[in-house]
Amino acid sequence: MGIQTRTLPLLLPFLHSYPRHVAHRRSLQLSANGNLAPHSHTLLCRHFSKDSSSAQPVIGQDSVEVLGHAYPRDDFTNITPKILAKVGRNLHNQSHHPLWLIKERIKDHFYGTYVSRRGNPLFSVHDNMSPVVTTEQNFDSLLIPPDHPSRKRGDNYFLNRTTMLRAHTSAHQRELVSSGLDRFLLAGDVYRRDEIDASHYPVFHQMEGVRLFTNHELYSRVENGEDLTLFESGGRRTAHKQQSHTLEAVKLVEHNLKSTLTGLVTHLFGKDLEVRWVDCYFPFTHPSFEMEVRFRGDWLEVLGCGVMEQELVNSAAQRHHVPGLWGGSVQKPHPIFSGLRHLELTHSTKRGLEKAQHVRTILTKQHTTQPLSKYPALHNDISFWLPEDERGREAGRESGRERYAENDFYELVRSIGGDLVERVTLVDRFSHPKTGRQSHCYRIVYRHMERTLTQEEVNCVHKEIESTAELELGVVGRY
């Protein structure tokens, strides 16, 4: 379970030849001073006619190479060079990077609060696990059913049918519990295909914790605790507990989880923070809860937690423990972390390091929101007819899709416009009264973090999106 602002939503088949979308999509290139280069409209548009993917990892015709390993391609492969280039950056482990600073504050809290009698930290930290996992690790090991929406190819990045980039750090839970660990923190980069706005980015970072309790650990401070037990036989599953757990065990684990996490967020954001807990659902915990914090009059989801399904612990040979689990994204509660308001900043190694001292100050002072950028935004609309059945099936066969999906369009826009695209919003749906044809209109907001964009520059990027959408998605433009 990752710290995150929404419940876990948690790809597309390609031809065995070089994928068309890799050959045609080009990310906008910036010069050393952060300007678009070249500057003239004619030269800028000509720039897009050249393949600029050479600087990015190459996805071969038969395999995908990542982190020194080659993985055979198949009809599930949908990783793009732009996403592949972000694998292995490990920004959360780069000293003084904003993500590293947040991770270190969380670690320091656990190291200082939970110690053994000899003063040693009780929680171990694991932040170097490979982001390449099997689908069994990412889904099956967490009891995520085969028909669960989080398994959708359109929401994940697959290297092939059995291998993917992890969608959550929880993919490593079972192997760590199986190794004998009973208290640990997990941190790492995770990858999801998603909509485009200020709070979504295809790469973000999660940190989560797991604690397993023995009978003695849970009841040692309870009067007559020696008469209490973790498990019961013949129990039944209710809204408040799993069938194998006693109600008193679950209530104590729940109390421990909530008090631990309340202590963490007050450590991060101050004692005046208003917190509430909401019942929710996760496939691998029961009961499950989400923490919300009061921020500028609104309640924001910050993290999730719950009592891990006992089946997961039993499969990891820890059947005599009752488990607690919490987790969330160290980026996604971004309005609270004021200096990290724009997610692109946290993924820019250079800018992240340049801003480190500023962010260090922010993380230790009162938090106030800041605008995404002081430079103005520009927006262009794009409207098109969705593929008709025959055309849609043909486009699907060529690009590896069964039918048009919004996430495919978002991924296309992201691949071409890169981090200049701040937000994409579906602003209108239209159904022709006679033919029944469906039309979508999207508004694409462009903004540069370091300077003012010109309409001429934006128009060039936008035209590339229009032409590529027709080529790859089988849509018909209404420009």
Side-chain angles (χ1 to χ4, degrees):
M1 180 186 302
I3 287 176
Q4 56 199 8
T5 61
R6 53 190 167 85
T7 55
L8 285 174
L10 160 181
L11 271 145
L12 306 175
F14 286 72
L15 295 174
H16 286 289
S17 61
Y18 195 77
R20 293 179 61 187
H21 85 283
V22 172
H24 288 284
R25 294 185 192 173
R26 295 130 192 138
S27 298
L28 197 60
Q29 300 296 302
L30 304 180
S31 64
N33 62 4
N35 294 329
L36 286 167
H39 295 290
S40 74
H41 177 73
T42 302
L43 290 177
L44 182 63
C45 290
R46 189 180 302 160
H47 167 80
F48 281 104
S49 68
K50 298 169 61 179
D51 191 347
S52 61
S53 63
S54 58
Q56 306 215 1
V58 176
I59 299 177
Q61 292 186 356
D62 301 315
S63 65
V64 178
E65 185 171 339
V66 55
L67 300 179
H69 297 278
Y71 300 89
R73 290 182 53 186
D74 60 21
D75 60 342
F76 256 54
T77 306
N78 73 337
I79 187 73
T80 65
K82 185 176 180 64
I83 296 299
L84 197 60
K86 299 183 183 298
V87 179
R89 286 188 178 182
N90 294 323
L91 301 184
H92 60 290
N93 288 334
Q94 292 187 16
S95 182
H96 302 302
H97 189 279
L99 293 174
W100 177 86
L101 291 170
I102 300 172
K103 183 192 73 173
E104 290 303 306
R105 288 201 67 195
I106 296 174
K107 282 173 53 179
D108 287 346
H109 172 72
F110 276 86
Y111 281 177
T113 306
Y114 304 97
V115 295
S116 68
R117 294 177 183 177
R118 297 182 179 180
N120 297 322
L122 291 175
F123 281 82
S124 58
V125 177
H126 306 268
D127 53 14
N128 279 303
M129 311 287 285
S130 173
V132 179
V133 299
T134 64
T135 53
E136 195 277 337
Q137 286 177 287
N138 199 78
F139 301 120
D140 300 295
S141 75
L142 297 169
L143 307 181
I144 298 176
D147 58 349
H148 195 272
S150 67
R151 289 180 178 258
K152 285 172 27 179
R153 290 177 291 176
D155 289 346
N156 299 282
Y157 289 104
F158 283 89
L159 302 180
N160 55 42
R161 187 173 286 272
T162 60
T163 314
M164 62 185 295
L165 299 182
R166 63 188 171 204
H168 41 210
T169 51
S170 302
H172 303 290
Q173 281 177 18
R174 187 175 65 185
E175 60 187 295
L176 291 176
V177 173
S178 296
S179 70
L181 296 175
D182 57 7
R183 300 177 181 91
F184 58 84
L185 303 179
L186 238 174
D189 45 335
V190 298
Y191 302 79
R192 296 182 194 166
R193 295 177 96 221
D194 214 333
E195 57 193 289
I196 301 175
D197 59 32
S199 63
H200 292 85
Y201 200 77
V203 188
F204 58 100
H205 291 71
Q206 288 184 337
M207 193 164 189
E208 64 183 72
V210 171
R211 170 75 191 274
L212 305 183
F213 297 90
T214 64
N215 206 88
H216 173 73
E217 289 169 335
L218 198 58
Y219 295 127
S220 61
R221 297 184 180 180
V222 177
E223 186 176 355
N224 298 320
E226 63 277 4
D227 298 328
L228 301 176
T229 181
L230 299 178
F231 306 103
E232 64 180 7
S233 58
R236 65 185 183 90
R237 191 181 186 94
T238 71
H240 305 289
K241 71 178 208 65
Q242 299 172 36
Q243 59 271 25
S244 61
H245 296 158
T246 62
L247 185 58
E248 55 268 23
V250 172
K251 288 302 180 183
L252 283 174
V253 172
E254 176 185 335
H255 172 74
N256 183 281
L257 281 171
K258 290 181 177 180
S259 61
T260 297
L261 296 172
T262 300
L264 172 62
V265 297
T266 54
H267 169 74
L268 294 174
F269 305 125
K271 294 182 178 180
D272 295 332
L273 193 68
E274 192 176 350
V275 174
R276 74 177 184 186
W277 292 94
V278 179
D279 293 341
C280 67
Y281 165 79
F282 297 114
F284 40 89
T285 58
H286 180 76
S288 305
F289 314 95
E290 283 181 337
M291 174 192 282
E292 296 183 349
V293 299
R294 190 82 167 176
F295 183 74
R296 292 202 166 186
D298 293 324
W299 288 100
L300 300 178
E301 298 173 28
V302 175
L303 54 83
C305 70
V307 180
M308 192 189 303
E309 290 285 352
Q310 190 64 36
E311 183 180 342
L312 295 177
V313 185
N314 293 347
S315 67
Q318 294 277 22
R319 63 181 63 251
H320 301 298
H321 296 74
V322 169
L325 166 68
W326 64 267
S329 166
V330 298
Q331 288 162 251
K332 288 203 168 187
H334 57 88
I336 303 174
F337 290 114
S338 58
L340 306 180
R341 181 85 167 103
H342 196 283
L343 293 184
E344 180 271 334
L345 173 63
T346 67
H347 287 275
S348 171
T349 304
K350 178 181 176 183
R351 287 186 56 81
L353 295 176
E354 289 174 351
K355 297 288 185 180
Q357 187 57 47
H358 172 60
V359 175
R360 183 190 296 275
T361 302
I362 287 170
L363 292 177
T364 56
K365 292 186 176 181
Q366 182 66 33
H367 302 292
T368 57
T369 56
Q370 295 178 353
L372 297 177
S373 170
K374 65 181 180 181
Y375 299 102
L378 295 174
H379 73 265
N380 284 15
D381 291 349
I382 177 172
S383 299
F384 46 73
W385 295 107
L386 302 190
E388 296 183 85
D389 290 344
E390 271 316 309
R391 181 179 173 84
R393 279 195 289 270
E394 172 124 2
R397 283 192 293 270
E398 292 181 356
S399 61
R401 281 180 308 278
E402 292 299 322
R403 59 181 63 84
Y404 174 84
E406 288 182 32
N407 271 0
D408 295 337
F409 179 68
Y410 296 144
E411 188 67 23
L412 181 148
V413 173
R414 201 191 309 273
S415 295
I416 295 173
D419 293 324
L420 291 183
V421 177
E422 179 176 289
R423 184 171 65 256
V424 180
T425 306
L426 178 60
V427 294
D428 183 59
R429 298 174 185 263
F430 171 73
S431 179
H432 195 285
K434 292 185 177 180
T435 65
R437 290 191 69 183
Q438 302 292 314
S439 171
H440 281 186
C441 177
Y442 295 87
R443 176 156 297 169
I444 304 177
V445 177
Y446 301 87
R447 191 197 300 263
H448 200 291
M449 290 294 291
E450 298 179 348
R451 68 176 183 84
T452 300
L453 287 173
T454 68
Q455 189 63 58
E456 186 179 42
E457 292 169 330
V458 167
N459 287 345
C460 186
V461 180
H462 202 73
K463 288 182 182 296
E464 180 73 6
I465 292 172
E466 290 176 343
S467 60
T468 309
E470 292 191 353
L471 178 66
E472 294 188 20
L473 305 182
V475 301
V476 178
R478 302 180 65 191
Y479 317 135

